[in-house]
Amino acid sequence: MTKQVFVGRPEPFAAGLWISSAMPKTPAGEPTRKDRMIIIRDDSGNQMDLVRENARIGVQFWGSTKAEASDLAQLGRGLMNDMVGGPIKRIRNVLRPVFIEDVQPMFYATFELIVKGSKL
């Protein structure tokens, strides 16, 4: 999931998102939080053949409220399909967004991507 799929979205909860593979940091390097964040983690996967792999990614959708985090998770889940193309051949949501108790409302989902590279 990239920032580009959220650019220009009319939903207020999609504005000003922090999208990264890591939590934001203060200027001193300490972890911090934003009101709305999407954190994408590479959860590995398996090689299918010489040029294809099954990449699994975990996505955390954080909001300032549970409703906002849920809306963000549902939008993100829907926008994942916009990423099919180029090396990404297929995307499958293997764990629907589920609510996780934390100090800030967060939903977690897992996706599998069939990614095709090229022989070297």
Side-chain angles (χ1 to χ4, degrees), residues 5-114:
V5 298
F6 286 93
V7 171
R9 295 296 311 179
E11 300 87 356
F13 59 84
L17 281 172
W18 172 269
I19 302 175
S20 180
S21 61
M23 296 291 277
K25 294 192 182 335
T26 66
E30 297 295 320
T32 188
R33 295 174 188 257
K34 304 286 185 184
D35 285 341
R36 292 179 305 282
M37 305 181 292
I38 297 176
I39 307 297
I40 304 160
R41 183 181 70 222
D42 183 347
D43 283 347
S44 193
N46 62 309
Q47 184 174 352
M48 299 169 70
D49 55 37
L50 288 176
V51 294
R52 292 182 307 150
E53 68 180 13
N54 185 359
R56 182 169 281 195
I57 59 170
V59 184
Q60 298 170 332
F61 300 94
W62 302 80
S64 57
T65 66
K66 184 176 179 180
E68 185 176 75
S70 176
D71 289 344
L72 195 53
Q74 294 307 321
L75 177 62
R77 182 183 192 188
L79 291 175
M80 284 296 290
N81 290 324
D82 289 343
M83 295 184 59
V84 173
I88 300 174
K89 303 303 179 189
R90 186 175 132 219
I91 297 177
R92 186 169 67 108
N93 185 197
V94 294
L95 174 67
R96 66 176 172 75
V98 294
F99 181 69
I100 306 293
E101 289 287 340
D102 202 297
V103 295
Q104 182 177 348
M106 187 261 284
F107 281 78
Y108 176 78
T110 302
F111 300 89
E112 286 183 346
L113 289 65
I114 303 297

